Amino acid sequence: MLKIKILSLIFVFFLTSACSKDESVDPNDSNNVNVFDNRQSTGSSAHDILSDNTFTSMRIELVYVEGYEPTETAVNNFISFLTDRIHKPLGISLNKRAITSPGKTTYSIEDIAQIEREQREIYNNGSIIAIWAYFTDGKSDKDTADNITLGTAYWNTSFVIFEETLRGLSNSPLEPNRNLLETTVINHEFGHLLGLTNLGSPMQTAHEDSEHENHCNVNNCLMYWATEYAVGIGNMTGVPQLDAQCIADLKANGGK
């Protein structure tokens, strides 16, 4: 789960993250569709996503609430991130569509999971692995005055971006460019689906943050628990990258 911690008055932002493990979600509600393989724990399909042993292509079902479509740049950056890290010789395809707002102002992960149950159309099929990426209006029910959730990976092939919240924290003075912030949040959440850190892709060297489970202890890594931008947050010029240890984990688990 990716969060922003806001320290008022001095505009210090922290992008913090923690993997969400939603074990209360019932995976056995299929309606003439075998959905079980896409409702496993976060990180459990890391090898299948990274390698071409079982799945040789990927289909991404990108669904957004009307008016909350992610930027084309962020989506292209996401595809590039995948291309750099996963083996899918028959390609990565994107199916994008809008839905009407569910009509809530605050969403729990169970709410998000229920929206997926109702709206998801694409599941694993043969040699194709399917990913669900949802961009919602409203905010997370985990938000507090100090911690604002921007995204959560909650099943093995599913993640949500709280797009309305993200938009409220970007593209203004002293705030990051929206393309960069969206790309960072999307890539970070997908990093958890790839099993980072110590979440399905075994560590080749010890680099899990002892105080922040499933996050890298390298402070400039994409999977670090917090990337700090002080007054100069408006000068954010690039998306954090995976450090060498995270890349080694992915390669050892079938990735690039």
Side-chain angles (χ1 to χ4, degrees), residues 23-234:
E23 297 179 356
S24 66
V25 178
D26 180 5
N28 299 311
D29 64 348
S30 60
N31 182 18
N32 299 320
V33 176
N34 181 8
V35 302
F36 181 79
D37 287 344
N38 293 99
R39 295 186 184 171
Q40 304 287 324
S41 61
T42 305
S44 63
S45 291
H47 180 73
D48 287 338
I49 295 172
L50 287 162
S51 75
D52 60 359
N53 292 348
T54 302
F55 299 101
T56 54
S57 64
M58 173 182 287
R59 292 182 69 185
I60 301 169
E61 185 176 6
L62 192 159
V63 177
Y64 59 92
V65 172
E66 291 174 345
Y68 294 95
E69 181 178 3
T71 67
E72 183 177 357
T73 297
V75 173
N76 290 339
N77 289 343
F78 175 45
I79 299 299
S80 295
F81 175 75
L82 296 179
T83 301
D84 288 344
R85 297 296 162 217
I86 70 175
H87 291 284
K88 291 293 173 275
L90 297 187
I92 300 168
S93 61
L94 180 70
N95 298 75
K96 185 167 61 173
R97 61 188 171 88
I99 63 171
T100 58
S101 172
K104 297 172 68 72
T105 58
T106 302
Y107 296 90
S108 67
I109 286 301
E110 176 56 36
D111 292 331
I112 297 298
Q114 183 59 32
I115 292 167
E116 177 177 347
R117 291 187 188 99
E118 296 169 356
Q119 296 290 339
R120 185 166 181 167
E121 298 176 352
I122 302 173
Y123 295 88
N124 294 356
N125 184 7
S127 62
I128 304 171
I129 191 166
I131 302 296
W132 165 267
Y134 179 54
F135 294 74
T136 190
D137 58 351
K139 63 181 182 179
S140 168
D141 70 341
K142 302 297 185 183
D143 286 357
T144 68
D146 297 321
N147 294 284
I148 300 176
T149 303
L150 297 182
T152 303
Y154 58 95
W155 273 330
N156 58 325
T157 61
S158 305
F159 67 94
V160 60
I161 304 299
F162 291 94
E163 181 69 16
E164 180 177 320
T165 299
L166 188 151
R167 291 188 179 198
L169 295 169
S170 59
N171 277 9
S172 294
L174 302 179
E175 293 178 343
N177 174 276
R178 183 168 301 147
N179 292 328
L180 297 181
L181 187 55
E182 279 186 344
T183 301
T184 298
V185 179
I186 294 167
N187 290 358
H188 179 98
E189 296 310 329
F190 201 85
H192 286 310
L193 300 189
L194 295 178
L196 298 173
T197 301
N198 199 25
L199 187 64
S201 288
M203 293 187 296
Q204 303 307 293
T205 58
H207 64 106
E208 182 179 15
D209 189 328
S210 61
E211 296 183 0
H212 303 93
E213 186 180 16
N214 302 138
H215 292 91
C216 182
N217 61 10
V218 176
N219 60 12
N220 62 350
C221 178
L222 175 68
M223 301 309 295
Y224 186 58
W225 76 276
T227 301
E228 181 178 349
Y229 305 97
V231 174
I233 189 170

Side-chain angles (χ1 to χ4, degrees), residues 229-240:
Y229 305 97
V231 174
I233 189 170
N235 296 323
M236 181 181 178
T237 59
V239 176

